[in-house]
Amino acid sequence: MKSRNDMEMLLRRRTFLTRSGLGFGAAALYSLMQQQQSAQANANKGRIPGLPGLPHFPPRVKRVIFLCMAGGPSHLETFDYKPKLNELDGKPMPESFTAGQPIAQLQGKELKVQGHLTKFRASGKSGTLISDFMPWHQKMADDICVIKSMHTEQINHDPAHTFMNTGSAISGRPSMGAWITYGLGVDTDELPGFVVMTSVGGRNPQPIASRQWGTGFLPSRYQGVEFNSNGDPVNYVRPPGGITNAQQREIIDAIRQLNEHRLEKVHNPEIETRIAAYEMAFKMQTSVPELVDLSNEPKHVLEMYGAKPGDGSFASNCLLARRLAERGVRFIHLYHRGWDHHGGLVKYMNICCGLTDKPTWALLTDLKQRGMLDDTLIIWGGEFGRTPMSQSKGGAGRDHHIKGFSMWMTGGGIKGGTTYGNTDELGYNAVENPVHVRDLHATMLHMLGIDESRLSVRVQGLDMKLTGVEPAHVLEEILG
Amino acid sequence: MTEAGDDFDEKLDFAFRVALSRGPDSFEKKLFRRNYERQLEYYRNHPEQAKKLQTVGIFSIPKELERTELATWTQLARILLNLNETTTRN
């Protein structure tokens, strides 16, 4: 950022000197500017560089795959088993838990305990308890670290996603993928550093706004790029008939030259972003068709994921996530929308897990087989959990819950076959080693070699960070 | 193609005024001229490519328009319409 500020200063001075008739000043500055501009042009053409001095210490992983189960999966039907919950099934929820607590749709209703709607199984050598909705997760019990004491601050979907993505419920802050590509740069100049894909299936899929992968006050080039999971991954990625690749190159070059010409006059940094975006778009006309062409994937790999190319499923997105990871993409964010199980929880858990359980196992297994789990961090979880109290909007279900829920992490040496923290005897409050969203962020940044307290940008007089103002803690105990 | 004059300068000036509310400066003129010549040469040598380009979209092309010239100006319009100055207000 410093060099850009310097350049803006120079440009302002040059305009001033030219306009005030001090032509000699402009002439002297010209050669200096030429050097800076050619450096800038190189940066525009090539891969996005990281900040000087980053990573702060040797990173454990190079990239993150974030599997967001949008809607808020029930921790009580996935990873958090509480015998007491079954004992009190159907009985009134003790008020000691709920008095004065934030409640979403159950507000003003009679609160009754809902026992587990499935059985749990001690899985793997570690014996981690995982529900029977997730037989493929049971197979990977020894690879993952389940964090059972997550808590967040937002009880409705959109603000909760915003909180999970940006560390703030107020929209307009950079998302974690933007922060990470801003800090570390990108290992590819063929694809964006931050790619998002979504899939749907389950109960009442909530929309996901594109600002969830926004760039906030960071330059626009760090924002996430959403690939369509159906049809062309990027609209109009194929050039129209009658235009060759060489011609397209000439057109893009002409646009670049004219934009640079404009930049010299008006020095709007967003023009630089556009120049870089056109360059990236041109490269993506080759790299994206190659990325999504799954014809060279062996049959057993497609079967392992359960992916049918172009079907827009979570399975196909998982396979594409591996391919994006192989190609140097820094942050890959998959959303599966359909986990909002206010009612019909059993039916919809079967659907959601049916669509995501095996592909998640396949992604982990595939990365492991390729040695990529050593330098890839996978994070699984929703924007919140679900209440120990029952709700029945068409069969038993559960309401939104923010005081305790489960997520898991793996990769980069994170201790597999372990759990971290715990909720109380009814799965309501995170009581043992509570993990706030900012602690999750701090741990993720730490895995990438970033000290969360030193990745900040001054905006309106404040040093803004992903982790916010309050102290954030790295979960040292789960690191290998 | 039909509203501006016949020669290159008049056409470019017209295009600039429609897209940017201003005429081109000398740098821009030179750059568009160079691209005009290169694209024209390509479509002269590859008339089938010009035809292919003109199957994009639903606009029916007036018969009196010369196909090579039209394909060339299509390319120049793609440059002009994609400039930062065209697509943003500042």
Side-chain angles (χ1 to χ4, degrees):
Chain A
M1 293 306 281
K2 189 167 181 294
S3 70
R4 175 173 292 152
N5 288 338
D6 287 352
M7 194 166 142
E8 285 179 15
M9 285 284 287
L10 282 170
L11 281 158
R12 280 194 203 109
R13 283 198 66 197
R14 190 182 69 141
T15 311
F16 169 72
L17 292 172
T18 313
R19 294 213 175 129
S20 56
L22 297 166
F24 68 93
L29 270 174
Y30 187 69
S31 64
L32 187 59
M33 284 222 20
Q34 286 290 86
Q35 290 169 14
Q36 294 212 357
Q37 276 179 337
S38 68
Q40 198 67 43
N42 285 340
N44 283 336
K45 265 184 219 164
R47 54 193 57 183
I48 298 179
L51 296 177
L54 264 80
H56 297 123
F57 40 82
R60 292 162 189 258
V61 293
K62 288 184 182 151
R63 65 193 78 82
V64 177
I65 300 176
F66 202 110
L67 306 175
C68 176
M69 302 299 118
S74 166
H75 53 299
L76 301 168
E77 271 77 26
T78 49
F79 300 106
D80 203 358
Y81 176 63
K82 300 290 173 205
K84 184 100 181 186
L85 199 69
N86 283 344
E87 261 175 52
L88 294 184
D89 183 29
K91 302 220 167 71
M93 184 75 184
E95 252 195 52
S96 55
F97 287 89
T98 55
Q101 290 286 314
I103 287 182
Q105 298 185 2
L106 286 174
Q107 228 167 63
K109 307 248 166 75
E110 198 191 350
L111 302 176
K112 282 185 184 165
V113 174
Q114 173 66 60
H116 292 293
L117 289 159
T118 183
K119 290 204 166 62
F120 282 74
R121 199 173 295 266
S123 309
K125 286 185 194 136
S126 57
T128 302
L129 289 172
I130 299 178
S131 96
D132 282 349
F133 280 123
M134 306 176 103
W136 294 89
H137 269 75
Q138 290 173 347
K139 290 183 208 295
M140 52 198 249
D142 292 338
D143 290 309
I144 62 176
C145 169
V146 180
I147 303 167
K148 293 167 75 177
S149 53
M150 284 300 305
H151 61 113
T152 181
E153 295 182 8
Q154 291 295 318
I155 203 162
N156 288 311
H157 299 287
D158 185 88
H161 279 299
T162 308
F163 198 75
M164 186 61 77
N165 280 320
T166 72
S168 167
I170 301 162
S171 52
R173 301 279 176 86
S175 55
M176 49 189 162
W179 274 113
I180 289 166
T181 46
Y182 166 71
L184 298 178
V186 180
D187 285 341
T188 168
D189 57 358
E190 307 274 315
L191 289 164
F194 176 13
V195 174
V196 179
M197 302 191 80
T198 68
S199 54
V200 181
R203 185 183 172 280
N204 191 23
Q206 306 287 335
I208 299 285
S210 63
R211 63 184 159 69
Q212 296 296 350
W213 42 93
T215 191
F217 43 72
L218 297 176
S220 318
R221 63 192 304 181
Y222 301 108
Q223 78 187 348
V225 173
E226 186 185 8
F227 284 3
N228 307 324
S229 27
N230 290 303
D232 274 346
V234 177
N235 292 339
Y236 309 111
V237 74
R238 294 162 220 279
I243 294 172
T244 63
N245 208 38
Q247 276 176 298
Q248 188 76 345
R249 177 75 263 174
E250 284 184 31
I251 298 285
I252 302 291
D253 282 341
I255 293 169
R256 178 179 50 78
Q257 285 169 302
L258 290 163
N259 278 340
E260 281 170 0
H261 179 61
R262 177 78 180 160
L263 180 62
E264 268 185 56
K265 281 189 193 161
V266 298
H267 88 85
N268 174 357
E270 286 296 294
I271 299 181
E272 285 176 5
T273 290
R274 189 173 300 270
I275 292 169
Y278 272 88
E279 194 55 41
M280 176 59 70
F282 175 72
K283 285 180 176 152
M284 281 167 62
Q285 292 197 303
T286 311
S287 65
V288 168
E290 189 274 335
L291 167 77
V292 297
D293 176 13
L294 301 181
S295 61
N296 60 348
E297 289 289 342
K299 202 173 157 223
H300 73 267
V301 171
L302 291 173
E303 280 170 2
M304 175 163 85
Y305 284 86
K308 291 188 195 80
D311 64 356
S313 66
F314 183 76
S316 292
N317 290 353
C318 278
L319 178 51
L320 287 171
R322 190 212 84 211
R323 292 170 66 92
L324 287 162
E326 284 174 318
R327 284 159 180 75
V329 175
R330 181 75 67 194
F331 198 94
I332 302 151
H333 207 149
L334 304 189
Y335 287 89
H336 183 81
R337 298 158 50 211
W339 294 88
D340 192 19
H341 301 165
H342 292 280
L345 187 140
V346 170
K347 174 183 161 193
Y348 291 113
M349 277 300 281
N350 278 323
I351 295 174
C352 284
C353 295
L355 290 168
T356 62
D357 184 34
K358 189 178 181 214
T360 305
W361 165 84
L363 175 61
L364 186 145
T365 306
D366 200 7
L367 289 177
K368 206 166 146 186
Q369 283 169 358
R370 286 161 203 263
M372 288 172 68
L373 199 58
D374 296 334
D375 58 9
T376 305
L377 175 65
I378 306 179
I379 303 175
W380 181 100
E383 68 272 35
F384 43 55
R386 305 207 80 85
T387 50
M389 299 86 84
S390 70
Q391 188 182 6
S392 46
K393 272 187 165 178
R398 300 180 188 276
D399 198 1
H400 306 172
H401 187 64
I402 61 175
K403 296 289 179 177
F405 62 103
S406 305
M407 292 180 77
W408 58 256
M409 292 170 107
T410 184
I414 279 187
K415 287 177 191 161
T418 60
T419 62
Y420 184 84
N422 210 345
T423 52
D424 56 39
E425 73 271 23
L426 289 179
Y428 194 100
N429 285 303
V431 288
E432 180 193 322
N433 291 327
V435 179
H436 189 274
V437 171
R438 71 177 80 91
D439 304 326
L440 181 83
H441 287 157
T443 306
M444 176 181 69
L445 293 177
H446 182 88
M447 295 291 290
L448 290 157
I450 302 172
D451 174 354
E452 56 80 25
S453 69
R454 285 152 75 196
L455 181 61
S456 69
V457 170
R458 181 153 291 190
V459 182
Q460 295 175 341
L462 297 172
D463 290 322
M464 298 284 201
K465 299 186 302 173
L466 172 62
T467 44
V469 193
E470 290 169 58
H473 306 284
V474 173
L475 310 182
E476 300 279 355
E477 286 172 48
I478 73 168
L479 308 177
Chain B
M1 293 303 291
T2 54
E3 286 178 54
D6 281 338
D7 72 52
F8 173 84
D9 282 346
E10 279 177 284
K11 275 196 169 53
L12 186 66
D13 196 66
F14 178 84
F16 258 75
R17 285 188 191 284
V18 170
L20 297 174
S21 307
R22 66 170 178 88
D25 66 19
S26 61
F27 175 86
E28 292 161 337
K29 242 182 218 174
K30 230 169 90 188
L31 189 140
F32 272 94
R33 181 89 221 181
R34 196 170 65 237
N35 276 281
Y36 173 76
E37 279 156 12
R38 292 188 53 88
Q39 299 290 337
L40 188 65
E41 189 194 347
Y42 176 79
Y43 285 118
R44 272 201 184 128
N45 295 331
H46 303 88
E48 76 291 346
Q49 284 282 91
K51 218 180 243 174
K52 226 183 191 176
L53 181 61
Q54 284 148 17
T55 60
V56 178
I58 54 170
F59 180 72
S60 60
I61 294 154
K63 283 199 179 89
E64 67 272 18
L65 287 182
E66 205 274 308
R67 294 307 179 97
T68 312
E69 189 76 14
L70 180 63
T72 304
W73 278 100
T74 303
Q75 294 289 68
L76 298 192
R78 292 178 68 223
I79 298 174
L80 186 62
L81 293 175
N82 278 295
L83 295 184
N84 189 76
E85 192 184 348
T86 313
T87 54
T88 61
R89 281 187 291 178
N90 38 6

